[in-house]
Amino acid sequence: MTYRLDLDDIQGMIVRAYGRYSYPFARYYFLNISDPAKGRAFVGQVADKVTTAARWPTESARPPCTVNIGFTFFGLYNLDLSQRTLRAMPEEFIAGMRHRAFVLGDRDQTMTENEARAERWDAHWDPIWRGNRLGDGYEPDNIHVWISFNAQQKARGVAEPVDELEEMATWLRRLCDESGGGVKILGGHGRDGAMDHQAASAVFKAINGVLVPTPTEHFGYTDGIGDPVFAGQYAPEEERTMVIGRGKRLGAGWVPIAPGEFILGHPDESQELPPTAPPAKFMRNGSFMAYRKLHEKVGSFTEVIRTEGARFARVRGVSQEEAEATLCAKMCGRWTDGIPLASAPDFESWMRLREELGLNVEDKMQAFLNHLAYLKSPASSDFRYADDMPGYKTPTGAHLRRVNTRDYLDPLNVTGVDDKGDPHPNEKATTQLNKRRRILRRGLPYGPAFGTEMTDDTEQGVALMVVSASLFRQFEFVQQQWIQYGLDFNQGNDTCPMLGNHEVHKRFSIPSDPRSGKAPYIMSGLKTFVECRGGDYFFIPSLSALRMIAMGVVDPT
């Protein structure tokens, strides 16, 4: 039986990735509340415009601009929620991202807290985040509220948002003005801190003279392909296709993940209701979100790939182009166009599959449409790791294998190879140890237009929002154990080759099938390619909870 969610009560960004195609523009605002009564009145006015997860009956029914809202712990505190409710919130949410920097690998883990503070470990963060989470939460530069607007494209072929985006920004500023200082928008985004919001946009590219939003981030990878699918997220006829490779593997098929892994008040994969603060209705249909501004050091990434590519080309006797493409794919787990290594483990098979998919046809627009069709198809996500335990196809330390382990950690998997040199198969391998670590990824890239020269100092990266029912069990576990360590992947202290910190550990191992006659290849000069520029943890309430906050009736008794 299909699981039914109260989509009218759930904020839309939890269930739906607004995405690069339908809503390629976004603005993220961060606000401070100094007057609880005016803050509650503000929440009531915003709640009337919040976009829910209700399904749009037709394409034309989509709103031109979406609205969503969330609160930090001190945001709820400054809205005068009861002590009993606040004390029952999860510890990591109360502490906030700044105070979890040691756990997340955002600061030097060899230093004590005092040493790191003296070294100003957050000096590279945007000004708005450097001033956040200092003091007791009442300070005027503490972040209390997150508001996001996602906007459609003004017209096909134009890299501009609809006018409604600016209209919504004007509306928000007016609400704050009318609060008489009780609620204010905080500035301080970017290196110079000049902006009052964080702008984000899909990377647009000119194809046959037409500007189109692409699914590409600034390193050049196709992104946002394999987000998990949970019960109740899609209509039944759509779910049957979407769940393939994106749900949990049972037997020979795929089924949706339990909704409680992402939405509070619903059963999770342990068949329990996730812990919530009283009253129960306050957190039901809500979720938690980690907002992280991830700066991409494109200059360093390009340099390392070029340098390592020259060595790889010399050692393997291939062209520089093939060497660089192969290293990029092995680091990620997918080729830059999103084709998984599990489907095309080497350059030759990748080229062949691109031909079969029509990605190299002469008409560039048709090739682009063929590419989008592939990314949306089950083929882009329906693959396994249990049949590749040595990592001959997808290296065991690759980014993709770390953040979504699929069936790799099934305890019945057998490492090594059989007498013929083949990896031991385990057709019945499941995703039992992975399904409780899944996260929903939302957000968009930020930075200059496609084709602009980018260095480490250029403002570019991803405004990432990670949604999960438990920040600790899901987001923080993946960030700490799978991205910043390598023990679960037999990689020792080697971190994720793309997102990991490489100040100390700079290696990435690429296994090779001995039957090929090629030795394993070790990349040894990795740099830290992705740097957090700030962020915090937010609670994303249901529409019911927003109204409870606005009316001041969050009663835990």
Side-chain angles (χ1 to χ4, degrees):
M1 180 180 294
T2 303
Y3 194 91
R4 296 191 64 177
L5 292 170
D6 186 359
L7 298 175
D8 289 306
D9 197 40
I10 300 170
Q11 294 205 43
M13 50 82 61
I14 298 175
V15 172
R16 177 185 294 121
Y18 294 131
R20 295 160 173 77
Y21 315 115
S22 52
Y23 289 91
F25 301 95
R27 290 185 188 182
Y28 307 116
Y29 289 88
F30 299 90
L31 299 87
N32 176 273
I33 298 171
S34 59
D35 184 311
K38 292 178 178 176
R40 289 193 295 272
F42 172 84
V43 172
Q45 292 170 297
V46 174
D48 290 339
K49 290 186 179 293
V50 164
T51 306
T52 73
R55 298 186 181 110
W56 299 316
T58 62
E59 191 69 7
S60 60
R62 292 190 301 134
C65 183
T66 65
V67 182
N68 290 108
I69 184 171
F71 303 89
T72 62
F73 172 78
F74 281 118
L76 298 176
Y77 181 78
N78 277 16
L79 286 165
D80 272 354
L81 263 68
S82 75
Q83 291 289 319
R84 187 176 171 209
T85 299
L86 293 171
R87 286 174 179 169
M89 287 285 183
E91 179 183 348
E92 66 280 2
F93 172 67
I94 295 172
M97 188 178 291
R98 166 185 287 279
H99 299 292
R100 307 290 282 181
F102 181 87
V103 172
L104 301 174
D106 288 340
R107 71 165 178 80
D108 189 340
Q109 294 170 311
T110 65
M111 291 183 175
T112 66
E113 192 74 37
N114 288 337
E115 289 171 342
R117 193 177 298 122
E119 289 288 325
R120 295 193 61 197
W121 65 270
D122 62 347
H124 58 286
W125 281 22
D126 282 4
I128 185 173
W129 297 110
R130 289 203 298 270
N132 183 41
R133 287 278 181 176
L134 301 177
D136 59 9
Y138 283 114
E139 288 78 6
D141 51 2
N142 250 275
I143 293 171
H144 297 149
V145 183
W146 161 86
I147 288 182
S148 76
F149 299 139
N150 275 77
Q152 295 187 34
Q153 205 173 349
K154 177 176 279 187
R156 185 172 179 270
V158 178
E160 294 180 24
V162 292
D163 294 337
E164 283 82 353
L165 178 58
E166 185 55 37
E167 292 170 7
M168 292 303 297
T170 301
W171 165 78
L172 181 64
R173 295 187 189 105
R174 188 176 68 246
L175 281 189
C176 292
D177 290 343
E178 291 172 354
S179 76
V183 181
K184 68 176 182 180
I185 297 172
L186 297 176
H189 296 277
R191 307 312 295 154
D192 58 4
M195 297 294 290
D196 75 345
H197 65 274
Q198 176 63 56
S201 165
V203 176
F204 278 73
K205 185 178 181 179
I207 300 177
N208 294 353
V210 177
L211 281 173
V212 297
T214 71
T216 309
E217 50 70 64
H218 294 293
F219 287 148
Y221 290 97
T222 301
D223 196 16
I225 304 171
D227 248 9
V229 168
F230 55 89
Q233 185 178 13
Y234 294 100
E237 62 276 10
E238 194 176 6
E239 181 185 278
R240 280 191 286 273
T241 301
M242 293 298 295
V243 74
I244 300 173
R246 300 182 176 106
K248 59 186 177 187
R249 185 176 170 84
L250 284 180
W254 297 86
V255 298
I257 296 171
E261 292 296 316
F262 308 103
I263 303 177
L264 299 165
H266 297 267
D268 61 22
E269 283 293 340
S270 67
Q271 297 304 301
E272 296 175 343
L273 296 178
T276 57
K281 191 172 183 180
F282 174 64
M283 298 190 77
R284 179 178 168 79
N285 288 334
S287 191
F288 289 102
M289 178 186 83
Y291 177 94
R292 286 170 73 79
K293 181 176 179 178
L294 298 180
H295 173 72
E296 293 182 317
K297 297 182 176 179
V298 175
S300 290
F301 184 80
T302 304
E303 177 198 340
V304 168
I305 293 298
R306 186 179 299 127
T307 303
E308 287 279 359
R311 185 161 68 99
F312 187 86
R314 187 171 63 253
V315 170
R316 291 288 176 88
V318 299
S319 69
Q320 179 77 14
E321 177 191 15
E322 178 177 338
E324 292 186 12
T326 302
L327 291 180
C328 285
K330 293 294 182 181
M331 290 170 68
C332 176
R334 291 184 187 269
W335 298 89
T336 52
D337 57 13
I339 292 176
L341 282 168
S343 303
D346 54 47
F347 190 81
E348 184 180 349
S349 58
W350 177 46
M351 288 290 102
R352 189 164 56 245
L353 187 51
R354 282 182 58 85
E355 288 292 333
E356 293 172 6
L357 294 171
L359 308 190
N360 294 333
V361 296
E362 190 173 345
D363 184 334
K364 300 298 182 187
M365 183 57 75
Q366 186 57 54
F368 177 71
L369 296 175
N370 292 342
H371 187 202
L372 295 187
Y374 170 73
L375 297 177
K376 293 176 181 177
S377 72
S380 66
S381 295
D382 189 13
F383 56 91
R384 312 169 54 210
Y385 297 132
D387 58 357
D388 180 32
M389 290 299 288
Y392 294 158
K393 292 188 286 189
T394 309
T396 54
H399 168 72
L400 200 66
R401 201 155 173 161
R402 288 171 179 262
V403 295
N404 181 6
T405 59
R406 295 176 181 262
D407 55 358
Y408 172 64
L409 297 178
D410 187 294
L412 297 182
N413 287 344
V414 179
T415 57
V417 295
D418 61 18
D419 294 340
K420 297 178 181 177
D422 294 323
H424 297 282
N426 182 9
E427 292 299 329
K428 296 181 180 179
T430 70
T431 55
Q432 289 294 330
L433 295 182
N434 182 51
K435 63 187 182 182
R436 301 220 71 197
R437 311 293 184 188
R438 301 304 309 277
I439 53 175
L440 299 170
R441 292 177 303 155
R442 304 291 183 250
L444 282 169
Y446 68 90
F450 179 79
T452 306
E453 183 178 357
M454 292 181 285
T455 69
D456 285 359
D457 296 326
T458 315
E459 271 284 300
Q460 79 256 314
V462 176
L464 177 69
M465 283 152 282
V466 174
V467 176
S468 59
S470 170
L471 290 165
F472 175 75
R473 174 170 55 81
Q474 293 163 276
F475 164 67
E476 289 192 344
F477 181 91
V478 173
Q479 175 68 23
Q480 183 191 48
Q481 295 296 321
W482 288 353
I483 290 179
Q484 299 293 14
Y485 291 114
L487 294 181
D488 283 355
F489 311 96
N490 298 315
Q491 299 293 300
N493 284 329
D494 290 351
T495 66
C496 172
M498 296 181 65
L499 295 187
N501 185 312
H502 300 295
E503 298 303 315
V504 177
H505 304 287
K506 304 177 185 297
R507 295 180 310 177
F508 172 58
S509 302
I510 302 176
S512 183
D513 188 337
R515 293 173 299 188
S516 69
K518 299 172 183 174
Y521 186 83
I522 310 296
M523 296 179 72
S524 56
L526 296 185
K527 297 182 179 180
T528 301
F529 302 123
V530 177
E531 181 180 73
C532 182
R533 288 278 172 87
D536 208 341
Y537 293 157
F538 295 84
F539 173 58
I540 311 297
S542 66
L543 273 291
S544 299
L546 284 174
R547 295 186 183 103
M548 292 167 71
I549 293 172
M551 293 187 288
V553 295
V554 182
D555 183 0
T557 59

